[in-house]
Amino acid sequence: MLVDLRSDTVTRPTPEMRRAMAEAEVGDDEYGEDPTVNHLQETFAELVGKPAALFVPSGTMSNQIALQVLTRPGDAVVVGAHQHVVLYEEGAAAINAGISWAPADDSGGSIGPSDVEAAVERSRHHQPGIGAVAVEDTHMASGGTVWDLDRLEAVASAARRYGLPVHLDGARLWHASVASGEKLSDRAAPATLVTCCLSKALSAPVGSVLAGPQELIDEARLRRKRLGGTMRQAGVLAAAGLVAIGSGIDRLAEDHERATRLAVAVAERWPDAGCDPRRVQTNIVLFSHPDPAALVEYLRDKQVLAGTIAPGTVRLVTHRDVGDDGIDLACKAIAGAPTA
């Protein structure tokens, strides 16, 4: 048995998805004529409480499109310093949208309304003007932390006071909804635009969906084309996304429970690694280690695949393709790992 905990993007399509993909009704999506893509977009828009949505190949493309639509070249975006758009998209925002960041401390998993206010005040003193606010829920770099909904609304309220739109990178918003017990539409309500990944833990093979006001989604469609993201008979892919939404969300609680089990094993083996099982809310476990490369290699030898997200930081991510037996194997490997 090989237990792959590198990411929740390694999942394979379920048999139900493969059947749906094989039988999908398709058309040319550039002309808006793929009925399965249209159905996915309408379904997602309704789930997150937005008027319209657009199917795109990846979460990074979705974020890049959102930044282009909401800002102008030269703008700065208020953002957490450790968010995906800042650290894990290869500097794409500077190239694609021509923007810079107004970073805030998000080490606890979120920013606050005072961060928006401070960035706007700095812009009045010869610093770049603020064009938008971007947030991430769940917050991957803090261990899949779920935003407090009242705090998110406070940040969005501060943004509105200054006429700033808000982009919600909800790649794992499904997890936030399940962990909090709050509807996706409630968690997306404070944002102007929201994106979710279909391939993170929901087992779809590819794709994300971006939702918001119709006029912004119309502009997003143009931006998708300019980035080379227009697809043709994409219903084959959208069909898997529909199955993912219909049958993949409720089971995420299992992944959260298994992540807590992993966190307990990590905390017992490395008490000073900064991994507190009580703080693991969703499916991501992060911890520090003096030699991550050696630990990753050791775990690989024990048939457990792990990853890193920063120097000295190891990541384990649970998902559909790792059941209780896999978690048992991983916990055993962790228990026997070198302490340094």
Side-chain angles (χ1 to χ4, degrees):
M1 177 192 300
L2 183 65
V3 181
D4 195 342
L5 297 170
R6 291 173 297 172
S7 175
D8 49 5
T9 61
V10 302
T11 53
R12 289 169 290 239
T14 66
E16 184 184 1
M17 287 179 186
R18 292 179 184 272
R19 287 193 297 271
M21 293 170 73
E23 298 169 1
E25 185 180 359
V26 298
D28 192 319
D29 183 46
E30 180 167 17
Y31 297 117
E33 295 174 355
D34 191 302
T36 308
V37 171
N38 292 340
H39 183 32
L40 172 64
Q41 291 170 166
E42 292 161 2
T43 299
F44 180 76
E46 183 176 357
L47 271 177
V48 296
K50 304 298 182 186
L54 181 69
F55 183 42
V56 299
S58 73
T60 293
M61 182 180 283
S62 191
N63 283 337
Q64 293 303 307
I65 290 171
L67 292 170
Q68 288 184 350
V69 167
L70 296 179
T71 67
R72 298 174 301 176
D75 283 348
V77 173
V78 182
V79 68
H82 299 92
Q83 285 180 209
H84 195 280
V85 290
V86 177
L87 295 183
Y88 302 107
E89 298 186 8
E90 305 291 347
I95 297 170
N96 294 320
I99 63 168
S100 60
W101 304 119
D105 180 11
D106 60 349
S107 55
S110 63
I111 62 175
S114 62
D115 295 315
V116 177
E117 295 159 357
V120 171
E121 179 60 26
R122 289 195 300 271
S123 74
R124 295 167 176 162
H125 299 274
H126 312 291
Q127 296 191 25
I130 305 301
V133 176
V135 297
E136 182 183 342
D137 188 19
T138 65
H139 188 272
M140 188 277 289
S142 64
T145 303
V146 177
W147 267 75
D148 175 79
L149 196 50
D150 289 339
R151 186 175 179 86
L152 180 57
E153 176 52 45
V155 169
S157 179
R160 287 193 296 269
R161 286 199 299 273
Y162 298 106
L164 301 174
V166 176
H167 172 56
L168 170 55
D169 175 3
R172 295 182 177 90
L173 193 64
W174 327 104
H175 298 78
S177 175
V178 170
S180 67
E182 295 157 343
K183 294 191 300 184
L184 282 164
S185 57
D186 290 338
R187 298 202 64 83
T192 312
L193 291 175
V194 56
T195 184
C196 295
C197 281
L198 301 168
S199 59
K200 286 187 169 71
L202 297 191
S203 299
V206 65
S208 290
V209 194
L210 178 69
Q214 184 67 62
E215 63 273 16
L216 293 182
I217 296 303
D218 290 343
E219 176 67 15
R221 181 174 290 273
L222 171 62
R223 301 288 183 165
R224 184 185 68 173
K225 184 176 179 67
R226 288 177 176 170
L227 289 172
T230 295
M231 299 176 282
R232 299 298 182 172
Q233 287 71 35
V236 173
L237 299 173
L242 283 164
V243 174
I245 290 174
S247 63
I249 298 175
D250 290 343
R251 61 151 303 280
L252 294 178
E254 301 171 16
D255 295 342
H256 301 173
E257 293 169 0
R258 288 168 180 148
T260 299
R261 288 182 56 199
L262 286 173
V264 169
V266 168
E268 288 178 349
R269 189 57 178 164
W270 298 287
D272 299 323
C275 181
D276 183 351
R278 295 169 298 181
R279 297 186 61 188
V280 175
Q281 297 175 286
T282 55
N283 68 322
I284 298 174
V285 177
L286 300 181
F287 60 98
S288 60
H289 193 275
D291 192 348
L295 177 60
V296 168
E297 184 62 28
Y298 168 84
L299 291 173
R300 180 184 290 272
D301 289 343
K302 300 298 182 182
Q303 300 300 300
V304 177
L305 301 183
T308 60
I309 63 162
T313 304
V314 179
R315 184 178 78 163
L316 306 172
V317 187
T318 57
H319 51 79
R320 180 196 291 270
D321 286 359
V322 177
D324 289 330
D325 290 347
I327 297 300
D328 289 342
L329 192 154
C331 289
K332 182 179 178 180
I334 289 168
T339 55

